[in-house]
Amino acid sequence: MNTSPRAKPVLRWAGSKRQILPKLTGLAPQFRGRYIEPFCGSACLFLALEPSQALLADINSHLVSAYRTLQSDPDAISAVLGSWEQDKDTYLELRAMKPGDDAVFNAARFLYLNRYCFNGVYRENRAGQFNVPYGGYRSGTLPSLEDLQEFSRRLQSVELYCGDFADVVRRATKDDFIYLDPPYYYGATRNRGEYGWNAFSDTDVQRLLTEVRAASDRGVRILISYNQAHSLKKELPGWQLTYAPVRRSVAGFSESRRPVREYQLRNYA
């Protein structure tokens, strides 16, 4: 029995499913194998489910590198974070830097920029440079040492992988549970470098469908969050479609942050 306090995400991640965790945990099946998340982001569902073994993956190398360093040395990351002022000048100075060879510094920089950027958005330009503006003082405080340590404890039984989602899905076996939360499709404005340049685009949807069909045929339980889930369901007959209301918080103006539906698609009852 796990008697430690429940870990919470250390990242503010645009598109995070924290608002609908009760819905997602209620939909999650019983499984004996690994929890697998190819687009792990802030990993909030992983933390809520507390699986005994997991594979967390993302194509964003900076995110995966930060998690790997948190896995091994949360105290050192906290010490670096504590040495920086929490203001716009420091944010812009760190944003202008390029990641170097110091893994602890890079992880602390990633966490700092994520905390104080606009609405937790991760975006890169074509040169691979993080370019999100400063978000102001409403972003909250940096994760505490205790937050980082508890998150690190939860990562001890986790395999971390950086790479394409297809490679991750192919590793799933019949006892595993996959949760897929790819970047959403928004028409002509879709690819602006969110989550990393060309991290996922509408052209990748067919690849996603191919991989989840094959995994489903292997007996893998699969849950997908996607805003175009109705179109996916046409390609995945027999899958169950549900939804949960959520209030979007990424829009720049409050009047644009209206309630929408988050859709979930799964291949089990």
Side-chain angles (χ1 to χ4, degrees):
M1 177 174 163
N2 184 5
T3 59
S4 63
R6 173 163 288 181
K8 58 185 178 182
V10 296
L11 296 177
R12 299 167 61 236
W13 204 249
S16 169
K17 298 301 180 284
R18 292 181 73 172
Q19 290 187 56
I20 59 168
L21 274 179
K23 177 74 172 185
L24 293 178
T25 55
L27 290 175
Q30 296 293 321
F31 59 99
R32 296 194 302 262
R34 294 172 299 173
Y35 172 86
I36 299 176
E37 189 169 353
F39 305 92
C40 69
S42 66
C44 62
L45 182 57
F46 156 75
L47 294 172
L49 293 178
E50 299 184 335
S52 59
Q53 53 183 328
L55 167 59
L56 298 181
D58 205 282
I59 201 168
N60 186 319
S61 61
H62 305 296
L63 183 151
V64 176
S65 178
Y67 280 177
R68 283 175 176 158
T69 309
L70 270 169
Q71 196 176 42
S72 61
D73 208 345
D75 292 33
I77 293 173
S78 182
V80 175
L81 286 174
S83 71
W84 292 331
E85 296 293 330
Q86 299 174 23
D87 56 29
K88 184 176 181 179
D89 288 343
T90 305
Y91 177 87
L92 294 177
E93 180 181 351
L94 289 170
R95 191 184 69 171
M97 295 179 181
K98 293 183 178 179
D101 296 328
D102 188 332
V104 169
F105 181 92
N106 292 342
R109 174 181 175 271
F110 185 86
L111 290 172
Y112 184 99
L113 293 177
N114 170 265
R115 177 62 52 175
Y116 293 113
C117 70
F118 175 75
N119 274 344
V121 172
Y122 187 92
R123 187 182 65 214
E124 294 178 354
N125 60 23
R126 291 179 181 273
Q129 297 171 320
F130 182 77
N131 63 358
V132 180
Y134 180 62
Y137 295 99
R138 296 182 179 179
S139 302
T141 58
L142 290 167
S144 67
L145 173 59
E146 291 74 21
D147 292 336
L148 297 178
Q149 289 173 335
E150 188 57 38
F151 191 82
S152 177
R153 278 191 285 271
R154 291 294 296 117
L155 290 178
Q156 295 311 301
S157 61
V158 172
E159 177 186 354
L160 294 166
Y161 175 80
C162 181
D164 185 71
F165 69 87
D167 298 331
V168 182
V169 174
R170 288 170 194 160
R171 295 173 62 176
T173 64
K174 65 181 181 64
D175 291 327
D176 296 333
F177 167 49
I178 300 178
Y179 175 56
L180 290 147
D181 182 25
Y184 285 5
Y185 174 70
Y186 291 106
T189 63
R190 173 65 193 85
N191 191 349
R192 296 179 297 181
E194 284 89 349
Y195 307 103
W197 193 262
N198 283 330
F200 188 87
S201 68
D202 57 301
T203 58
D204 290 312
V205 173
Q206 286 303 316
R207 291 201 304 123
L208 181 75
L209 287 166
T210 297
E211 297 302 334
V212 298
R213 286 192 195 100
S216 185
D217 288 344
R218 297 195 300 273
V220 181
R221 297 171 184 83
I222 304 169
L223 175 64
I224 304 173
S225 291
Y226 198 58
N227 66 334
Q228 303 290 318
H230 287 93
S231 61
L232 293 188
K233 182 169 172 51
K234 293 178 183 178
E235 303 287 338
L236 299 168
W239 288 47
Q240 305 295 311
L241 182 66
T242 56
Y243 73 90
V246 65
R247 187 172 182 83
R248 282 273 170 255
S249 60
V250 175
F253 299 97
S254 59
E255 59 268 21
S256 299
R257 302 175 188 176
R258 58 186 183 275
V260 296
R261 287 182 173 183
E262 282 273 4
Y263 290 95
Q264 305 86 38
L265 194 61
R266 66 188 192 277
N267 69 338
Y268 51 89

